[in-house]
Amino acid sequence: MKTEAIVRRSLAEEVAAAIEEKIKLGEFPVESKLPTEPELMKQFAVGRSSIREAVKYLSQSGYLNVQQGLGTFVKSSTGHHALDSKIEKANFNDIFEVRHVLELRIIEKAALNRTAKGLKDMAQALKNRAKYAEMGNLTACVNADIAFHSAIAESCGNSILTALYTTLSEHVNKFFMTIYKDTVPFLTSQQQHEELMLAIKDKEVKKAVDIANRIIQQL
């Protein structure tokens, strides 16, 4: 008799699935504001951390849009699971080729459209990247690296490019965790990342793209 593995989901995943279902059924309409954290905690009988993880997942999946200081809004009733599925089946050479093309265009636009908040987010992520690289904490270092490049994507001024890059980054994160055994490559490339942020800050488009090309070629 064939046996089938039972996949156990965390509380956060259960909450995310429940919110996703409510979005699809129209109970949380597109463009409406999601209930507050305390309201969601009461509605689903879970703690704050589970709600935050669920919202983060749904944001990354294209269902929600978190606007700092304003709240969380329903962005789409379909998300981008189809794209996730296609990327999941792709080989990493294809993923990196697409990421390379996207990243160069994103960096061009970020160097022109970056905001004070965007630069602050980049600086914080870069600070964390250096700290965790020096500590030898690979997981945290990879997350900080992805956060840095995602902050650049958020600054490009094109929400579609940002969403595409965010989706790709989830898969790049998994790849980094398989190819890197320690944080040495991140320590080696830290200076280049610092230079990239400075070029974006100074709106030096060509310089930023040149630096990005050098970083990508080292992967």
Side-chain angles (χ1 to χ4, degrees):
M1 182 179 177
K2 183 181 178 181
T3 59
E4 294 185 10
I6 297 174
V7 179
R8 298 186 183 278
R9 297 196 296 187
S10 67
L11 269 178
E13 290 171 326
E14 293 284 358
V15 172
I19 294 175
E20 181 181 326
E21 185 65 17
K22 287 181 178 292
I23 291 172
K24 289 178 177 177
L25 291 174
E27 293 181 40
F28 294 155
V30 174
E31 296 187 0
S32 70
K33 187 176 181 180
L34 206 66
T36 63
E37 278 187 359
E39 290 171 334
L40 290 172
M41 288 165 61
K42 183 176 180 181
Q43 184 171 346
F44 295 109
V46 296
R48 190 178 301 273
S49 62
S50 293
I51 295 298
R52 288 184 174 177
E53 285 180 40
V55 168
K56 180 180 178 182
Y57 170 77
L58 290 171
S59 176
Q60 293 171 341
S61 298
Y63 287 97
L64 301 176
N65 179 28
V66 179
Q67 297 185 29
Q68 200 68 34
L70 296 177
T72 301
F73 297 83
V74 180
K75 181 179 179 181
S76 167
S77 61
T78 57
H80 41 241
H81 286 316
L83 179 59
D84 267 326
S85 177
K86 199 161 191 72
I87 295 172
E88 194 73 46
K89 296 172 184 175
N91 64 60
F92 279 105
N93 286 333
D94 290 344
I95 292 173
F96 265 83
E97 182 179 5
V98 174
R99 182 178 182 249
H100 187 173
V101 172
L102 274 178
E103 188 152 31
L104 294 182
R105 182 59 177 153
I106 281 169
I107 284 169
E108 283 182 355
K109 293 180 69 63
L112 296 172
N113 301 320
R114 88 289 183 280
T115 61
K117 181 186 180 303
L119 290 170
K120 182 179 178 182
D121 290 343
M122 287 177 222
Q124 184 59 56
L126 211 50
K127 182 179 179 181
N128 290 339
R129 185 184 189 275
K131 178 177 75 173
Y132 292 124
E134 289 168 2
M135 289 170 57
N137 187 332
L138 182 59
T139 299
C141 185
V142 168
N143 287 336
D145 181 81
I146 296 293
F148 170 69
H149 291 282
S150 294
I152 294 175
E154 289 285 349
S155 299
C156 80
N158 184 315
S159 60
I160 296 175
L161 281 176
T162 302
L164 285 171
Y165 190 82
T166 299
T167 302
L168 280 172
S169 291
E170 293 298 309
H171 299 272
V172 171
N173 190 325
K174 295 175 187 176
F175 181 57
F176 279 173
M177 293 306 298
T178 63
I179 65 170
Y180 292 126
K181 304 306 177 187
D182 54 45
T183 59
V184 172
F186 295 90
L187 284 168
T188 303
S189 63
Q190 182 68 23
Q191 182 60 40
Q192 285 183 316
H193 282 71
E194 298 278 358
E195 291 170 1
L196 174 59
M197 185 180 71
L198 185 59
I200 291 172
K201 180 181 178 180
D202 293 340
K203 295 193 172 186
E204 296 185 39
V205 178
K206 186 179 183 305
K207 184 176 180 180
V209 170
D210 287 344
I211 294 169
N213 262 317
R214 291 201 300 273
I215 292 172
I216 292 168
Q217 286 166 9
Q218 291 172 1
L219 295 175

